[in-house]
Amino acid sequence: MIHELYKKAGELHGHYCPGLAIGVRAAFEALRILEIEKKGFPLYCIAENRACYQDGIQVVFGTTLGDGNLELRQRGKTAFNFYDRSSGKSVRLIAKSWPEGLSREELTEFILTAPLDEVFGQTPVHFEAPPDTFVRRPSRVCPRCGESCSEPYLRIMDGEIVCLDCAEKA
Ligand SMILES: [Zn+2]
Ligand SMILES: [Zn+2]
């Protein structure tokens, strides 16, 4: 099961590596811990470092950079905050220090199949997930540059509603 997911993730990622395995295993365990039955917009993930694992998350947890439900908050830690916004459940998984001296293949296998508590520690999440934004925010055209801009990024300047670019220029 997890090896199939790893194989599928590698097709997106372009290569196979321990980093990808980390994302696959973390996402796999998060689905189980949070008892998620249906993937979709209520799910959200905040990764604390940028690396190969993000593609494992995208494939297995189903949240992507494209749908805006995978976010990076750079802390330099191999840690992931997983949320199910429909149930309110969440969990953070943080990589433990793994045995040294393993080959790349052995390490990958360890990450995918060792008992969970040897691979990751579990803690409460470090961040709040933003609200489920399945409803697209309305946009309006900025009168200064003529470009359409979504509401949270509009500002009022001299009685006009303008985009953030134009507000910063003024
Ligand atoms: Zn990789
Ligand atoms: Zn503008």
Side-chain angles (χ1 to χ4, degrees):
M1 175 62 182
I2 193 147
H3 289 92
E4 279 164 37
L5 293 170
Y6 178 61
K7 185 170 179 288
K8 194 172 151 203
E11 286 162 14
L12 170 74
H13 188 52
H15 64 253
Y16 291 90
C17 63
L20 183 66
I22 294 169
V24 168
R25 180 76 192 269
F28 179 81
E29 297 298 342
L31 290 173
R32 197 180 51 76
I33 294 164
L34 303 179
E35 300 176 289
I36 290 162
E37 282 158 15
K38 191 170 162 287
K39 293 186 196 175
F41 272 93
L43 302 188
Y44 197 81
C45 177
I46 300 176
E48 299 184 25
N49 203 1
R50 185 198 301 279
C52 292
Y53 19 82
Q54 283 174 308
D55 281 341
I57 306 280
Q58 300 203 82
V59 169
V60 179
F61 200 62
T63 56
T64 71
L65 290 168
D67 74 14
N69 289 327
L70 173 60
E71 184 187 330
L72 173 71
R73 297 215 194 165
Q74 193 54 266
R75 292 290 188 276
K77 294 182 184 177
T78 302
F80 313 94
N81 302 259
F82 293 101
Y83 310 82
D84 177 354
R85 292 176 292 192
S86 57
S87 69
K89 288 190 223 168
S90 60
V91 68
R92 176 173 176 268
L93 297 176
I94 168 105
K96 292 200 164 171
S97 24
W98 300 323
E100 284 175 32
L102 300 182
S103 71
R104 215 174 141 82
E105 289 68 32
E106 286 165 342
L107 181 59
T108 298
E109 196 57 21
F110 174 85
I111 292 163
L112 290 174
T113 62
L116 177 59
D117 63 359
E118 290 177 28
V119 184
F120 295 110
Q122 291 183 44
T123 78
V125 290
H126 281 191
F127 311 97
E128 229 178 278
D132 185 350
T133 51
F134 182 68
V135 178
R136 293 275 165 248
R137 303 243 186 202
S139 301
R140 65 157 73 211
V141 175
C142 167
R144 298 204 180 166
C145 65
E147 294 181 354
S148 178
C149 176
S150 97
E151 226 162 41
Y153 301 96
L154 293 165
R155 297 291 178 269
I156 298 175
M157 293 279 307
D158 309 323
E160 260 184 333
I161 299 172
V162 305
C163 76
L164 202 51
D165 288 339
C166 292
E168 283 175 353
K169 251 181 258 160

